[in-house]
Amino acid sequence: MTLTETLYKIKSQNFWREKIFLTTNGLSVIFLIISCLYILVGVKSKNNEVPLHYNFIFGIDSVGNWKKLFLLPLIGLIILVFNNLLANFFYRSGRKFLFILLISSSALIQLILSLAIFWIIRL
């Protein structure tokens, strides 16, 4: 099977046309973009070290360069891609519940990571 045949087969699947897939992935991408933009705009001191992690018990327990804040959206992107691959597998095998669970959890994870970025930058 050639690459073009494989891409056509993937493109022709109904997986990409599911409303819940489009909605939750759209939300996930929006949360990713907002997170990255908020890091770029929200960090006040780009020359100094900024808090990277906050723990409710110990307070700020990790500081470093502000560019390391982009690790959170990167982790979210990796989770989104991995969940989409797994959801595609479950969709093709007829396990609709697992498909919906994976797609929905991606959006929830993106929301949680966005809130974490918001709270870390507001410290």
PDB file of all heavy atoms in Angstrom, residues 2 11 28-29 31-32 36-38 44 47 54 67 80-81 85 93-94 96 99 104-105 108 110 113-115 119:
ATOM      1  N   THR A   2       0.624   2.157  -0.888  1.00  0.00           N
ATOM      2  CA  THR A   2       1.435   3.367  -0.985  1.00  0.00           C
ATOM      3  C   THR A   2       0.983   4.387   0.058  1.00  0.00           C
ATOM      4  O   THR A   2      -0.060   4.233   0.698  1.00  0.00           O
ATOM      5  CB  THR A   2       1.323   3.982  -2.390  1.00  0.00           C
ATOM      6  OG1 THR A   2      -0.020   4.419  -2.581  1.00  0.00           O
ATOM      7  CG2 THR A   2       1.720   2.985  -3.458  1.00  0.00           C
ATOM      8  N   LYS A  11      -8.277   9.397   5.582  1.00  0.00           N
ATOM      9  CA  LYS A  11      -9.130  10.560   5.360  1.00  0.00           C
ATOM     10  C   LYS A  11     -10.586  10.163   5.154  1.00  0.00           C
ATOM     11  O   LYS A  11     -11.498  10.884   5.542  1.00  0.00           O
ATOM     12  CB  LYS A  11      -8.620  11.345   4.147  1.00  0.00           C
ATOM     13  CG  LYS A  11      -9.344  12.632   3.899  1.00  0.00           C
ATOM     14  CD  LYS A  11      -8.754  13.350   2.707  1.00  0.00           C
ATOM     15  CE  LYS A  11      -9.536  14.597   2.382  1.00  0.00           C
ATOM     16  NZ  LYS A  11      -9.045  15.241   1.182  1.00  0.00           N
ATOM     17  N   SER A  28      -9.695  21.423  22.576  1.00  0.00           N
ATOM     18  CA  SER A  28      -8.325  21.115  22.996  1.00  0.00           C
ATOM     19  C   SER A  28      -7.318  22.016  22.303  1.00  0.00           C
ATOM     20  O   SER A  28      -6.395  22.540  22.939  1.00  0.00           O
ATOM     21  CB  SER A  28      -7.996  19.657  22.703  1.00  0.00           C
ATOM     22  OG  SER A  28      -8.813  18.791  23.443  1.00  0.00           O
ATOM     23  N   VAL A  29      -7.487  22.214  21.022  1.00  0.00           N
ATOM     24  CA  VAL A  29      -6.572  23.081  20.268  1.00  0.00           C
ATOM     25  C   VAL A  29      -6.709  24.527  20.737  1.00  0.00           C
ATOM     26  O   VAL A  29      -5.708  25.245  20.884  1.00  0.00           O
ATOM     27  CB  VAL A  29      -6.818  22.937  18.753  1.00  0.00           C
ATOM     28  CG1 VAL A  29      -6.072  23.995  17.968  1.00  0.00           C
ATOM     29  CG2 VAL A  29      -6.417  21.550  18.289  1.00  0.00           C
ATOM     30  N   PHE A  31      -7.583  25.509  23.762  1.00  0.00           N
ATOM     31  CA  PHE A  31      -6.900  25.582  25.061  1.00  0.00           C
ATOM     32  C   PHE A  31      -5.385  25.605  24.894  1.00  0.00           C
ATOM     33  O   PHE A  31      -4.683  26.319  25.617  1.00  0.00           O
ATOM     34  CB  PHE A  31      -7.304  24.418  25.963  1.00  0.00           C
ATOM     35  CG  PHE A  31      -8.681  24.542  26.547  1.00  0.00           C
ATOM     36  CD1 PHE A  31      -9.528  23.448  26.586  1.00  0.00           C
ATOM     37  CD2 PHE A  31      -9.136  25.735  27.069  1.00  0.00           C
ATOM     38  CE1 PHE A  31     -10.796  23.549  27.124  1.00  0.00           C
ATOM     39  CE2 PHE A  31     -10.399  25.852  27.616  1.00  0.00           C
ATOM     40  CZ  PHE A  31     -11.233  24.759  27.641  1.00  0.00           C
ATOM     41  N   LEU A  32      -4.862  24.829  23.947  1.00  0.00           N
ATOM     42  CA  LEU A  32      -3.416  24.834  23.695  1.00  0.00           C
ATOM     43  C   LEU A  32      -2.939  26.205  23.217  1.00  0.00           C
ATOM     44  O   LEU A  32      -1.917  26.725  23.693  1.00  0.00           O
ATOM     45  CB  LEU A  32      -3.055  23.784  22.653  1.00  0.00           C
ATOM     46  CG  LEU A  32      -2.763  22.391  23.153  1.00  0.00           C
ATOM     47  CD1 LEU A  32      -2.654  21.420  21.982  1.00  0.00           C
ATOM     48  CD2 LEU A  32      -1.501  22.365  23.956  1.00  0.00           C
ATOM     49  N   CYS A  36      -0.389  28.802  25.253  1.00  0.00           N
ATOM     50  CA  CYS A  36       0.871  29.316  24.699  1.00  0.00           C
ATOM     51  C   CYS A  36       0.869  30.840  24.638  1.00  0.00           C
ATOM     52  O   CYS A  36       1.867  31.484  24.989  1.00  0.00           O
ATOM     53  CB  CYS A  36       1.114  28.726  23.311  1.00  0.00           C
ATOM     54  SG  CYS A  36       1.494  26.972  23.331  1.00  0.00           S
ATOM     55  N   LEU A  37      -0.250  31.419  24.214  1.00  0.00           N
ATOM     56  CA  LEU A  37      -0.326  32.880  24.158  1.00  0.00           C
ATOM     57  C   LEU A  37      -0.262  33.500  25.546  1.00  0.00           C
ATOM     58  O   LEU A  37       0.357  34.548  25.738  1.00  0.00           O
ATOM     59  CB  LEU A  37      -1.607  33.308  23.437  1.00  0.00           C
ATOM     60  CG  LEU A  37      -1.644  33.045  21.939  1.00  0.00           C
ATOM     61  CD1 LEU A  37      -3.000  33.427  21.359  1.00  0.00           C
ATOM     62  CD2 LEU A  37      -0.533  33.796  21.229  1.00  0.00           C
ATOM     63  N   TYR A  38      -0.889  32.845  26.516  1.00  0.00           N
ATOM     64  CA  TYR A  38      -0.857  33.376  27.874  1.00  0.00           C
ATOM     65  C   TYR A  38       0.551  33.318  28.459  1.00  0.00           C
ATOM     66  O   TYR A  38       0.951  34.209  29.211  1.00  0.00           O
ATOM     67  CB  TYR A  38      -1.841  32.634  28.775  1.00  0.00           C
ATOM     68  CG  TYR A  38      -2.046  33.323  30.098  1.00  0.00           C
ATOM     69  CD1 TYR A  38      -2.742  34.523  30.166  1.00  0.00           C
ATOM     70  CD2 TYR A  38      -1.518  32.800  31.267  1.00  0.00           C
ATOM     71  CE1 TYR A  38      -2.919  35.178  31.360  1.00  0.00           C
ATOM     72  CE2 TYR A  38      -1.691  33.449  32.476  1.00  0.00           C
ATOM     73  CZ  TYR A  38      -2.392  34.635  32.519  1.00  0.00           C
ATOM     74  OH  TYR A  38      -2.556  35.291  33.695  1.00  0.00           O
ATOM     75  N   LYS A  44       5.874  38.257  33.186  1.00  0.00           N
ATOM     76  CA  LYS A  44       6.314  39.651  33.294  1.00  0.00           C
ATOM     77  C   LYS A  44       7.830  39.801  33.236  1.00  0.00           C
ATOM     78  O   LYS A  44       8.352  40.688  32.602  1.00  0.00           O
ATOM     79  CB  LYS A  44       5.780  40.244  34.597  1.00  0.00           C
ATOM     80  CG  LYS A  44       4.274  40.342  34.616  1.00  0.00           C
ATOM     81  CD  LYS A  44       3.784  40.852  35.948  1.00  0.00           C
ATOM     82  CE  LYS A  44       2.296  40.916  35.965  1.00  0.00           C
ATOM     83  NZ  LYS A  44       1.637  39.696  36.416  1.00  0.00           N
ATOM     84  N   ASN A  47      13.542  37.954  31.927  1.00  0.00           N
ATOM     85  CA  ASN A  47      14.985  37.866  32.163  1.00  0.00           C
ATOM     86  C   ASN A  47      15.296  37.102  33.438  1.00  0.00           C
ATOM     87  O   ASN A  47      16.358  36.511  33.558  1.00  0.00           O
ATOM     88  CB  ASN A  47      15.600  39.270  32.246  1.00  0.00           C
ATOM     89  CG  ASN A  47      15.488  39.996  30.926  1.00  0.00           C
ATOM     90  OD1 ASN A  47      15.478  39.377  29.881  1.00  0.00           O
ATOM     91  ND2 ASN A  47      15.384  41.311  30.993  1.00  0.00           N
ATOM     92  N   TYR A  54       4.004  24.740  41.487  1.00  0.00           N
ATOM     93  CA  TYR A  54       3.477  25.171  42.774  1.00  0.00           C
ATOM     94  C   TYR A  54       2.804  23.988  43.441  1.00  0.00           C
ATOM     95  O   TYR A  54       2.044  23.261  42.823  1.00  0.00           O
ATOM     96  CB  TYR A  54       2.475  26.313  42.586  1.00  0.00           C
ATOM     97  CG  TYR A  54       1.884  26.805  43.871  1.00  0.00           C
ATOM     98  CD1 TYR A  54       2.583  27.707  44.648  1.00  0.00           C
ATOM     99  CD2 TYR A  54       0.652  26.366  44.316  1.00  0.00           C
ATOM    100  CE1 TYR A  54       2.058  28.175  45.848  1.00  0.00           C
ATOM    101  CE2 TYR A  54       0.112  26.822  45.495  1.00  0.00           C
ATOM    102  CZ  TYR A  54       0.825  27.724  46.258  1.00  0.00           C
ATOM    103  OH  TYR A  54       0.306  28.173  47.438  1.00  0.00           O
ATOM    104  N   LYS A  67      10.855  29.898  29.606  1.00  0.00           N
ATOM    105  CA  LYS A  67      10.587  29.061  28.438  1.00  0.00           C
ATOM    106  C   LYS A  67      10.225  27.627  28.824  1.00  0.00           C
ATOM    107  O   LYS A  67       9.593  26.921  28.053  1.00  0.00           O
ATOM    108  CB  LYS A  67      11.784  29.073  27.502  1.00  0.00           C
ATOM    109  CG  LYS A  67      12.026  30.424  26.875  1.00  0.00           C
ATOM    110  CD  LYS A  67      13.260  30.429  26.024  1.00  0.00           C
ATOM    111  CE  LYS A  67      13.512  31.828  25.509  1.00  0.00           C
ATOM    112  NZ  LYS A  67      14.771  31.919  24.772  1.00  0.00           N
ATOM    113  N   LEU A  80      -2.803  14.716  23.639  1.00  0.00           N
ATOM    114  CA  LEU A  80      -3.858  14.859  22.634  1.00  0.00           C
ATOM    115  C   LEU A  80      -3.620  13.944  21.440  1.00  0.00           C
ATOM    116  O   LEU A  80      -4.530  13.237  20.988  1.00  0.00           O
ATOM    117  CB  LEU A  80      -3.952  16.317  22.181  1.00  0.00           C
ATOM    118  CG  LEU A  80      -4.969  16.632  21.093  1.00  0.00           C
ATOM    119  CD1 LEU A  80      -6.369  16.405  21.604  1.00  0.00           C
ATOM    120  CD2 LEU A  80      -4.789  18.059  20.608  1.00  0.00           C
ATOM    121  N   VAL A  81      -2.404  13.929  20.934  1.00  0.00           N
ATOM    122  CA  VAL A  81      -2.084  13.078  19.782  1.00  0.00           C
ATOM    123  C   VAL A  81      -2.214  11.605  20.147  1.00  0.00           C
ATOM    124  O   VAL A  81      -2.808  10.814  19.402  1.00  0.00           O
ATOM    125  CB  VAL A  81      -0.656  13.396  19.253  1.00  0.00           C
ATOM    126  CG1 VAL A  81      -0.202  12.364  18.243  1.00  0.00           C
ATOM    127  CG2 VAL A  81      -0.624  14.786  18.648  1.00  0.00           C
ATOM    128  N   LEU A  85      -4.896   8.868  18.578  1.00  0.00           N
ATOM    129  CA  LEU A  85      -4.516   7.598  17.953  1.00  0.00           C
ATOM    130  C   LEU A  85      -5.256   6.427  18.591  1.00  0.00           C
ATOM    131  O   LEU A  85      -5.773   5.546  17.887  1.00  0.00           O
ATOM    132  CB  LEU A  85      -3.006   7.393  18.050  1.00  0.00           C
ATOM    133  CG  LEU A  85      -2.141   8.331  17.213  1.00  0.00           C
ATOM    134  CD1 LEU A  85      -0.670   8.115  17.534  1.00  0.00           C
ATOM    135  CD2 LEU A  85      -2.401   8.132  15.741  1.00  0.00           C
ATOM    136  N   SER A  93     -12.674  -0.324  15.944  1.00  0.00           N
ATOM    137  CA  SER A  93     -13.021  -1.639  16.483  1.00  0.00           C
ATOM    138  C   SER A  93     -14.430  -1.674  17.064  1.00  0.00           C
ATOM    139  O   SER A  93     -14.849  -2.706  17.577  1.00  0.00           O
ATOM    140  CB  SER A  93     -12.005  -2.066  17.537  1.00  0.00           C
ATOM    141  OG  SER A  93     -12.072  -1.218  18.661  1.00  0.00           O
ATOM    142  N   GLY A  94     -15.165  -0.578  16.992  1.00  0.00           N
ATOM    143  CA  GLY A  94     -16.552  -0.551  17.420  1.00  0.00           C
ATOM    144  C   GLY A  94     -16.772  -0.247  18.891  1.00  0.00           C
ATOM    145  O   GLY A  94     -17.876  -0.395  19.391  1.00  0.00           O
ATOM    146  N   LYS A  96     -17.357   2.367  20.980  1.00  0.00           N
ATOM    147  CA  LYS A  96     -17.718   3.783  20.962  1.00  0.00           C
ATOM    148  C   LYS A  96     -17.510   4.452  22.326  1.00  0.00           C
ATOM    149  O   LYS A  96     -17.125   5.617  22.392  1.00  0.00           O
ATOM    150  CB  LYS A  96     -19.184   3.887  20.541  1.00  0.00           C
ATOM    151  CG  LYS A  96     -19.601   5.207  20.057  1.00  0.00           C
ATOM    152  CD  LYS A  96     -19.366   5.329  18.602  1.00  0.00           C
ATOM    153  CE  LYS A  96     -20.171   6.515  18.126  1.00  0.00           C
ATOM    154  NZ  LYS A  96     -19.932   6.909  16.815  1.00  0.00           N
ATOM    155  N   PHE A  99     -13.917   5.341  22.780  1.00  0.00           N
ATOM    156  CA  PHE A  99     -13.641   6.449  21.861  1.00  0.00           C
ATOM    157  C   PHE A  99     -14.059   7.774  22.490  1.00  0.00           C
ATOM    158  O   PHE A  99     -13.278   8.730  22.554  1.00  0.00           O
ATOM    159  CB  PHE A  99     -14.367   6.195  20.539  1.00  0.00           C
ATOM    160  CG  PHE A  99     -14.573   7.409  19.694  1.00  0.00           C
ATOM    161  CD1 PHE A  99     -13.511   7.987  19.022  1.00  0.00           C
ATOM    162  CD2 PHE A  99     -15.825   7.979  19.560  1.00  0.00           C
ATOM    163  CE1 PHE A  99     -13.696   9.111  18.240  1.00  0.00           C
ATOM    164  CE2 PHE A  99     -16.020   9.096  18.780  1.00  0.00           C
ATOM    165  CZ  PHE A  99     -14.955   9.666  18.116  1.00  0.00           C
ATOM    166  N   SER A 104     -12.952  12.882  25.143  1.00  0.00           N
ATOM    167  CA  SER A 104     -13.383  13.820  26.183  1.00  0.00           C
ATOM    168  C   SER A 104     -12.274  14.082  27.196  1.00  0.00           C
ATOM    169  O   SER A 104     -12.114  15.210  27.666  1.00  0.00           O
ATOM    170  CB  SER A 104     -14.617  13.279  26.895  1.00  0.00           C
ATOM    171  OG  SER A 104     -15.649  13.071  25.987  1.00  0.00           O
ATOM    172  N   SER A 105     -11.524  13.052  27.536  1.00  0.00           N
ATOM    173  CA  SER A 105     -10.448  13.246  28.506  1.00  0.00           C
ATOM    174  C   SER A 105      -9.353  14.156  27.952  1.00  0.00           C
ATOM    175  O   SER A 105      -8.709  14.877  28.715  1.00  0.00           O
ATOM    176  CB  SER A 105      -9.867  11.902  28.940  1.00  0.00           C
ATOM    177  OG  SER A 105      -9.204  11.275  27.876  1.00  0.00           O
ATOM    178  N   LEU A 108     -10.486  17.643  28.685  1.00  0.00           N
ATOM    179  CA  LEU A 108     -10.401  17.903  30.118  1.00  0.00           C
ATOM    180  C   LEU A 108      -8.950  18.105  30.552  1.00  0.00           C
ATOM    181  O   LEU A 108      -8.653  19.008  31.352  1.00  0.00           O
ATOM    182  CB  LEU A 108     -11.039  16.756  30.896  1.00  0.00           C
ATOM    183  CG  LEU A 108     -11.064  16.905  32.407  1.00  0.00           C
ATOM    184  CD1 LEU A 108     -11.905  18.104  32.811  1.00  0.00           C
ATOM    185  CD2 LEU A 108     -11.583  15.640  33.050  1.00  0.00           C
ATOM    186  N   GLN A 110      -6.509  19.220  28.692  1.00  0.00           N
ATOM    187  CA  GLN A 110      -6.080  20.524  28.180  1.00  0.00           C
ATOM    188  C   GLN A 110      -6.593  21.652  29.065  1.00  0.00           C
ATOM    189  O   GLN A 110      -5.879  22.623  29.326  1.00  0.00           O
ATOM    190  CB  GLN A 110      -6.573  20.730  26.745  1.00  0.00           C
ATOM    191  CG  GLN A 110      -6.025  19.761  25.748  1.00  0.00           C
ATOM    192  CD  GLN A 110      -4.525  19.784  25.662  1.00  0.00           C
ATOM    193  OE1 GLN A 110      -3.889  20.808  25.839  1.00  0.00           O
ATOM    194  NE2 GLN A 110      -3.943  18.635  25.405  1.00  0.00           N
ATOM    195  N   LEU A 113      -4.482  21.668  32.294  1.00  0.00           N
ATOM    196  CA  LEU A 113      -3.152  22.233  32.041  1.00  0.00           C
ATOM    197  C   LEU A 113      -3.210  23.736  31.821  1.00  0.00           C
ATOM    198  O   LEU A 113      -2.325  24.474  32.256  1.00  0.00           O
ATOM    199  CB  LEU A 113      -2.501  21.528  30.853  1.00  0.00           C
ATOM    200  CG  LEU A 113      -2.055  20.088  31.092  1.00  0.00           C
ATOM    201  CD1 LEU A 113      -1.563  19.459  29.792  1.00  0.00           C
ATOM    202  CD2 LEU A 113      -0.983  20.021  32.154  1.00  0.00           C
ATOM    203  N   SER A 114      -4.258  24.205  31.149  1.00  0.00           N
ATOM    204  CA  SER A 114      -4.418  25.650  30.947  1.00  0.00           C
ATOM    205  C   SER A 114      -4.619  26.365  32.277  1.00  0.00           C
ATOM    206  O   SER A 114      -4.054  27.438  32.507  1.00  0.00           O
ATOM    207  CB  SER A 114      -5.596  25.933  30.018  1.00  0.00           C
ATOM    208  OG  SER A 114      -5.375  25.406  28.753  1.00  0.00           O
ATOM    209  N   LEU A 115      -5.430  25.775  33.148  1.00  0.00           N
ATOM    210  CA  LEU A 115      -5.634  26.374  34.472  1.00  0.00           C
ATOM    211  C   LEU A 115      -4.342  26.360  35.285  1.00  0.00           C
ATOM    212  O   LEU A 115      -4.050  27.319  36.009  1.00  0.00           O
ATOM    213  CB  LEU A 115      -6.734  25.633  35.219  1.00  0.00           C
ATOM    214  CG  LEU A 115      -8.152  25.852  34.694  1.00  0.00           C
ATOM    215  CD1 LEU A 115      -9.129  24.945  35.413  1.00  0.00           C
ATOM    216  CD2 LEU A 115      -8.552  27.300  34.836  1.00  0.00           C
ATOM    217  N   TRP A 119      -2.553  29.666  36.842  1.00  0.00           N
ATOM    218  CA  TRP A 119      -2.243  29.834  38.270  1.00  0.00           C
ATOM    219  C   TRP A 119      -0.755  30.007  38.506  1.00  0.00           C
ATOM    220  O   TRP A 119      -0.350  30.761  39.388  1.00  0.00           O
ATOM    221  CB  TRP A 119      -2.763  28.648  39.070  1.00  0.00           C
ATOM    222  CG  TRP A 119      -4.257  28.670  39.248  1.00  0.00           C
ATOM    223  CD1 TRP A 119      -5.055  29.777  39.375  1.00  0.00           C
ATOM    224  CD2 TRP A 119      -5.122  27.562  39.335  1.00  0.00           C
ATOM    225  NE1 TRP A 119      -6.363  29.402  39.504  1.00  0.00           N
ATOM    226  CE2 TRP A 119      -6.443  28.038  39.493  1.00  0.00           C
ATOM    227  CE3 TRP A 119      -4.929  26.183  39.274  1.00  0.00           C
ATOM    228  CZ2 TRP A 119      -7.531  27.208  39.600  1.00  0.00           C
ATOM    229  CZ3 TRP A 119      -6.028  25.357  39.395  1.00  0.00           C
ATOM    230  CH2 TRP A 119      -7.312  25.867  39.554  1.00  0.00           C
TER     231      TRP A 119
END
